[in-house]
């Protein structure tokens, strides 16, 4: 519920139904002062000491049984006025004795410390720890409810399965939906894949033992994931069939490839169109590298031609064709798992020509840093097909031998035929025999204090432009975080005259202390906004944001961009922008 206090009218207080009035301004213009200007209101009423109105939201946290008062993150109200505002609301609400202030910005955190008992705060970590329901991707799913205790066997997952897992899986083949018994990192690979697929993803603590799920185990169900709650019920077969058919692409996608180009190209010379020989990951990073003032690890690419040569020289291409023509391979997952493993072994056992190894070694010579060999295919990081986490990377020592270089290249090539990648491509009707792997070889970024993922659009509220950042402390992972391990989450709003920072949670690995300083957030917000402005127009299709992976270094606190790819943010009812 939004609250407006009109200090010019003897502190007259309005409790505003936020479902009807999404903005304080809209209500104030309609019922208090029709002469109000939106732009002026946003500056004067949130950022100026001589404001007319005091503005906040009252929030009920169901799982924590908590009532909070919350300002917008960019509100610069002074501490004494905030204390008056809090006391005023405490007297006028039936839950006043339970009311606490939730700070959403570093300045507001300082006010809580300064005011002491006059502004009792609520611990954000305690709120997060109490969460029992976490909707990550809202929407509807139909599937056969399957409870998984222990490690998920990805080879046994079918697209019609609605998975209820004990742990947060590191891999997620196509499934109708995911329910985890532990909280998830919001931008972990499984959450990004679910968002890209349009399949619901949520966490319910203890779901594998929850009677709401166990009572329907093995049955065809309908799951609706909403922003506040979920609905799980038995489903009709005909409705499920219609839903499944609507989700899967109708046509086969044939990836583009140029197997004639053979130069080991520097990443920073690549542009988007070079994806035909260098793969999407490398070519998109080349676009980033071409932007002045933005740092990447650089590196170079072994193009598709060498992967193609390897398959032909060791007769793997013929093996692949025979495999895909085999009905048992396509119909039986256990057969498929065995055959794919055999293909990977064939690729990893084959020798790599000395000329290629010499050329790669020469490019790596003279560096005292480790190197990372990364996938860059024509079947990942595409508009409509994210493919997050499908393939593998390999790290080698600074002075790697040719044998180590050969092994790393072969392992990356072989990862095309990991089962998780095959299942994902199959669901999206991608022609497997046209998939090609380039190897992106880069200096490893050491001296890192945090790793992060960001989306250059507000995924929660279309009407409040901003960028969403998840960052984890050294030793943790944002994209592969485990059970109940949450990153630092910050919304950086870009719609106001100055950037606003809303702290959603602190990292569970960092003792409640911030990983990103306010100065870091200022620089990161500007960097991400620039990436959005430069890259999003290049993507086409329905892509409307950039999915960015970055590292924060200890020395100089520099942001190094290691990946940028298209993503489509879809808004559910209640998140969409509505004209006031």
């Amino acid at each position: 519920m939004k609250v407006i206090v009109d200090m010019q009218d003897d502190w007259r207080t309005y409790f505003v139904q936020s479902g009807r009035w999404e903005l304080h301004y809209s209500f104030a213009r309609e019922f208090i002062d029709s002469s109000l200007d939106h732009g002026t209101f946003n500056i004067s009423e949130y950022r100026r000491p001589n404001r007319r109105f005091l503005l906040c939201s009252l929030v009920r946290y169901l799982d924590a049984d908590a009532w909070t008062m919350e300002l917008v993150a960019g509100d610069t109200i002074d501490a004494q006025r905030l204390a008056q505002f809090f006391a005023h609301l405490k007297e006028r609400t039936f839950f006043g004795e339970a009311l606490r202030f939730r700070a959403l910005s570093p300045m507001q955190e300082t006010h809580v410390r300064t005011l002491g008992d006059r502004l009792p705060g609520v611990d954000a970590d305690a709120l997060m720890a109490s969460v029992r329901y976490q909707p990550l991707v809202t929407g509807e799913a139909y599937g056969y409810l399957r409870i998984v205790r222990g490690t998920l066997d990805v080879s046994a997952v079918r697209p019609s399965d609605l998975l209820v897992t004990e742990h947060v899986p590191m891999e997620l083949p196509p499934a109708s939906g995911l329910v985890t018994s532990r909280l998830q990192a919001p931008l972990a690979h499984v959450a990004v894949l679910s968002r890209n697929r349009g399949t619901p993803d949520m966490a319910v603590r203890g779901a594998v033992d929850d009677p709401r799920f166990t009572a329907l185990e093995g049955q065809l169900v309908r799951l609706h994931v909403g922003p506040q709650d979920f609905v799980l019920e038995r489903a009709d077969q005909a409705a499920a069939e219609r839903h499944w058919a609507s989700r899967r692409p109708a046509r086969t996608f044939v990836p583009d490839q140029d197997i004639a180009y053979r130069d080991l190209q520097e990443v920073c010379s690549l542009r988007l169109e070079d994806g035909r020989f260098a793969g999407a990951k490398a070519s998109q990073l080349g676009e980033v590298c071409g932007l002045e003032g933005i740092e990447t690890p650089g590196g170079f690419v072994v193009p598709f031609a060498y992967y193609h040569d390897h398959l032909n020289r060791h007769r793997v291409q013929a093996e692949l064709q025979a495999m895909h023509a085999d009905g048992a391979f396509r119909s039986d997952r256990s057969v498929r798992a065995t055959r794919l493993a055999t293909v990977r072994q064939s690729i990893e056992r084959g020798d790599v020509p000395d000329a290629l190894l010499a050329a790669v070694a020469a490019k790596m010579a003279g560096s005292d840093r480790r190197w990372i060999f990364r996938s860059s295919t024509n079947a990942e990081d595409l508009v409509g097909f994210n493919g997050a986490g499908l393939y593998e990377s390999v790290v080698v020592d600074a002075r790697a031998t040719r044998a180590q270089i050969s092994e790393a290249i072969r392992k990356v090539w072989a990862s095309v035929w990991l089962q998780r990648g095959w299942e994902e491509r199959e669901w999206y009707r991608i022609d497997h025999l046209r998939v090609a792997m380039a190897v992106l070889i880069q200096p490893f970024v050491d001296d890192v204090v945090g790793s992060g993922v960001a989306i250059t659009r507000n995924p929660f509220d279309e009407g409040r432009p901003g960028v969403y950042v998840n960052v984890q402390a050294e030793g943790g992972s944002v994209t592969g975080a485990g059970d109940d391990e949450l990153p630092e989450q910050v919304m950086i709003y870009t719609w106001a005259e100055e950037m606003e920072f809303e702290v959603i949670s602190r990292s569970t690995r960092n003792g409640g202390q911030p990983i990103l300083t306010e100065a870091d957030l200022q620089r990161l917000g500007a960097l991400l906004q620039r990436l959005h402005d430069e890259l999003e127009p290049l993507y086409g299709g329905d892509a409307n944001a950039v999915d960015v992976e970055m590292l924060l270094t200890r020395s100089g606190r520099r942001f190094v961009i290691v990946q940028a790819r298209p993503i489509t943010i879809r808004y559910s009812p209640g998140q969409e922008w509505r004209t006031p």
Side-chain angles (χ1 to χ4, degrees), residues 1 7 69 77 103 109 112 199 201 268 297 357 371 377 389 401 421 456 458 460 468 496 515-516 554-555 580:
M1 175 176 287
M7 292 185 289
M69 170 192 178
I77 189 170
E109 290 173 338
V112 172
T199 55
D201 178 20
C268 290
L357 296 177
W371 291 78
T377 72
T401 65
T456 64
N458 184 345
F460 309 112
Y468 176 48
I515 299 171
L516 299 176
R554 181 174 285 102
S555 59

Side-chain angles (χ1 to χ4, degrees), residues 266-520:
E266 296 292 326
V267 170
C268 290
S269 69
L270 298 173
R271 294 299 177 265
L272 215 56
E273 61 271 17
D274 297 324
R276 70 187 189 279
F277 64 81
K281 185 181 295 178
S283 61
Q284 290 170 23
L285 194 58
E287 291 283 357
V288 176
C289 195
L291 300 176
E292 186 178 353
I294 297 182
E295 184 177 352
T296 73
F300 61 98
V301 175
V302 178
F304 293 159
Y306 296 96
Y307 168 77
H308 231 269
D309 289 349
H310 192 78
L311 297 191
N312 287 321
R313 187 169 57 255
H314 299 290
R315 301 182 180 178
V316 181
Q317 192 69 53
E319 185 179 352
L320 290 170
Q321 291 171 341
M323 182 177 74
H324 283 88
D326 184 353
F329 170 80
R330 288 194 168 275
S331 63
D332 189 321
R333 284 176 174 253
S334 61
V335 171
R336 190 152 62 242
T338 301
R339 295 286 295 273
L340 287 169
T342 300
V343 166
R344 293 196 300 274
Q345 289 174 2
S346 297
I347 294 173
E348 291 187 39
R349 288 172 180 168
D351 63 284
V352 177
D354 288 339
L356 174 59
L357 296 177
V360 171
K363 288 274 192 181
M364 296 168 59
S367 172
D368 59 356
R369 295 165 65 182
R370 293 182 294 166
W371 291 78
I372 183 167
F373 289 55
R374 306 174 67 195
S375 70
S376 184
T377 72
N378 54 1
E380 63 180 322
D381 298 349
L382 306 175
V383 176
F385 185 74
N386 182 284
L390 294 187
Y391 311 117
E392 293 204 341
S393 299
V394 180
V395 177
V396 302
D397 293 334
R399 293 174 177 81
T401 65
R402 291 194 185 183
Q404 291 171 322
I405 292 170
S406 175
E407 182 180 1
I409 291 173
R410 286 179 281 127
K411 193 169 185 63
V412 174
W413 281 343
S415 69
V416 171
W417 302 105
L418 287 166
Q419 186 155 14
R420 63 181 183 246
W422 193 95
E423 301 291 350
E424 187 84 3
R425 296 193 303 265
E426 180 69 8
W427 175 254
Y428 279 90
R429 301 187 193 276
I430 293 174
D431 185 342
H432 300 283
L433 297 178
R434 289 280 296 184
V435 175
M437 174 72 81
V439 183
L440 171 58
I441 303 175
Q442 298 179 287
F444 195 83
V445 182
D446 290 306
D447 190 35
V448 169
V449 295
S451 59
V453 178
I455 295 174
T456 64
R457 181 179 284 264
N458 184 345
F460 309 112
D461 187 344
E462 187 179 18
R464 298 190 71 194
V467 296
Y468 176 48
V469 176
N470 283 196
V471 63
Q472 189 55 281
E474 182 183 13
S477 171
V478 173
T479 58
D483 296 343
D484 290 338
E485 184 175 295
L486 295 178
E488 182 166 292
Q489 302 176 66
V490 184
M491 270 301 311
I492 304 177
Y493 294 107
T494 56
W495 56 272
E497 62 174 349
E498 298 176 7
M499 281 185 284
E500 299 177 2
F501 312 119
E502 178 178 339
V503 179
I504 300 171
S505 73
R506 294 299 186 192
S507 163
T508 52
R509 297 180 65 93
N510 213 43
Q513 296 303 306
I515 299 171
L516 299 176
T517 67
E518 190 160 352
D520 292 333

Side-chain angles (χ1 to χ4, degrees), residues 103-321:
L104 297 180
S105 72
M107 174 184 284
Q108 293 170 21
E109 290 173 338
T110 300
H111 287 342
V112 172
R113 292 191 295 271
T114 301
L115 293 167
D117 293 341
R118 296 177 64 195
L119 189 69
V122 63
D123 183 76
D125 289 343
L127 281 180
M128 294 303 297
S130 69
V131 169
R132 298 200 58 79
Y133 172 62
Q134 180 194 30
L136 291 111
V137 180
T138 58
E140 190 168 77
Y142 287 81
Y144 294 96
L145 193 148
R146 181 178 161 207
I147 294 178
V148 181
R149 291 179 171 81
T151 303
L152 176 67
D153 178 3
V154 297
S155 68
V157 177
R158 299 179 182 278
S160 58
D161 287 341
L162 175 62
L163 299 173
V164 181
T165 64
E166 182 179 6
H167 303 291
V168 179
M170 298 298 288
E171 301 177 24
L172 183 64
S176 68
L178 175 66
V179 180
T180 61
S181 297
R182 309 287 182 87
L183 300 187
Q184 300 176 34
L187 294 182
H189 280 322
V190 292
V192 172
L193 282 171
S194 296
R195 182 181 293 276
N196 184 64
R197 296 167 181 161
T199 55
D201 178 20
M202 71 182 199
V204 176
R205 290 190 191 268
V208 292
D209 297 314
D210 189 319
R212 291 173 292 181
F213 297 98
T214 57
L216 294 172
E217 185 173 6
Q219 298 187 44
L220 181 62
V221 299
R222 169 186 170 271
L223 172 68
H224 177 78
V225 178
Q228 301 292 337
D229 206 348
F230 68 94
V231 175
L232 182 67
E233 60 189 8
R234 289 185 178 87
D236 173 70
Q237 183 72 38
E241 295 284 356
R242 288 193 298 270
H243 180 78
W244 294 333
S246 69
R247 284 180 46 225
R248 194 177 182 199
R251 297 180 180 178
T252 298
F253 171 69
V254 180
D256 188 22
Q257 61 172 252
D258 176 353
I259 58 174
Y261 192 91
R262 309 188 71 83
D263 291 347
L264 304 190
Q265 195 81 2
E266 296 292 326
V267 170
C268 290
S269 69
L270 298 173
R271 294 299 177 265
L272 215 56
E273 61 271 17
D274 297 324
R276 70 187 189 279
F277 64 81
K281 185 181 295 178
S283 61
Q284 290 170 23
L285 194 58
E287 291 283 357
V288 176
C289 195
L291 300 176
E292 186 178 353
I294 297 182
E295 184 177 352
T296 73
F300 61 98
V301 175
V302 178
F304 293 159
Y306 296 96
Y307 168 77
H308 231 269
D309 289 349
H310 192 78
L311 297 191
N312 287 321
R313 187 169 57 255
H314 299 290
R315 301 182 180 178
V316 181
Q317 192 69 53
E319 185 179 352
L320 290 170
Q321 291 171 341

Side-chain angles (χ1 to χ4, degrees), residues 38-77:
H38 197 177
T40 303
F41 182 94
N42 284 345
I43 296 172
S44 63
E45 305 307 324
Y46 294 106
R47 295 182 174 275
R48 297 293 184 261
N50 60 341
R51 64 186 68 189
R52 173 180 175 179
F53 301 109
L54 298 176
L55 309 169
C56 76
S57 294
L58 295 174
V59 182
R60 169 72 162 149
Y61 288 90
L62 300 177
D63 293 342
D65 189 26
W67 302 86
T68 67
M69 170 192 178
E70 300 180 10
L71 308 178
V72 298
D75 198 321
T76 59
I77 189 170

